[in-house]
Amino acid sequence: RSVPSGVRPRIRMRNQSGGQHGDRPGRMHRVNSVKTEWLNASVPADQERAARLLQAGELVAVPTETVYGLAADATNPEAVARIFEAKRRPRNHPLIVHLAGADQLPRWAAHVPDWVHTVAERFWPGPLTLLLEKHPRVSPVITGGFLCI
């Protein structure tokens, strides 16, 4: 189904089992129930709804430059684990953590070199990826067990 212009989908995964489903003969896997709700990214009330869903541990589909991404509150390991479940993503493939600004880096990185703030302030928002040593309080669920984020 195509997405109407200006409308962004939101997918919510529930923990309840939706039964069994076989994708190949002899192979069964659990299927969770999914509720899809369409939110418009340009409508403030829908932005607030998406934020409340993320804070509640739900998953939200968001547009990126090329595809839709599946988002969760990165501070909630259970919500992050649902991304792996929904996408059938291998647990050792780390996820990206998106930050609103460089002031949030100390929450996620063990050490933030001075040059990082200069680069982040210059290029954010935008397609700049930083790879830093993760802060000890960052869940290994996010990093796929790696020491970087």
Side-chain angles (χ1 to χ4, degrees), residues 11-135:
I11 300 173
R12 182 168 74 184
M13 296 295 296
R14 297 182 185 192
N15 288 332
Q16 303 164 341
S17 170
Q20 299 289 321
H21 173 73
D23 58 345
R24 286 181 265 179
R27 177 139 187 227
M28 303 293 277
H29 64 273
R30 296 189 88 134
V31 175
N32 288 330
S33 61
V34 175
K35 178 182 177 188
T36 303
E37 180 178 330
W38 296 95
L39 301 175
N40 186 326
S42 62
V43 174
D46 285 356
Q47 294 170 9
E48 291 170 14
R49 172 88 173 124
R52 285 192 308 274
L53 288 165
L54 289 169
Q55 291 166 348
E58 302 288 353
L59 303 183
V60 177
V62 295
T64 69
E65 291 84 7
T66 56
V67 296
Y68 283 95
L70 198 52
D73 176 358
T75 65
N76 181 337
E78 292 82 18
V80 172
R82 282 197 286 283
I83 290 178
F84 288 93
E85 177 185 339
K87 295 178 76 174
R88 294 189 186 161
R89 183 183 178 108
R91 300 283 174 163
N92 64 345
H93 287 200
L95 297 175
I96 296 169
V97 175
H98 295 270
L99 304 178
D103 60 319
Q104 294 180 330
L105 285 166
R107 161 64 178 94
W108 299 97
H111 307 286
V112 182
D114 292 334
W115 64 265
V116 168
H117 289 282
T118 304
V119 171
E121 294 299 330
R122 168 67 177 90
F123 293 103
W124 282 351
L128 170 67
T129 300
L130 299 171
L131 187 59
L132 302 168
E133 180 185 349
K134 77 176 189 74
H135 194 284

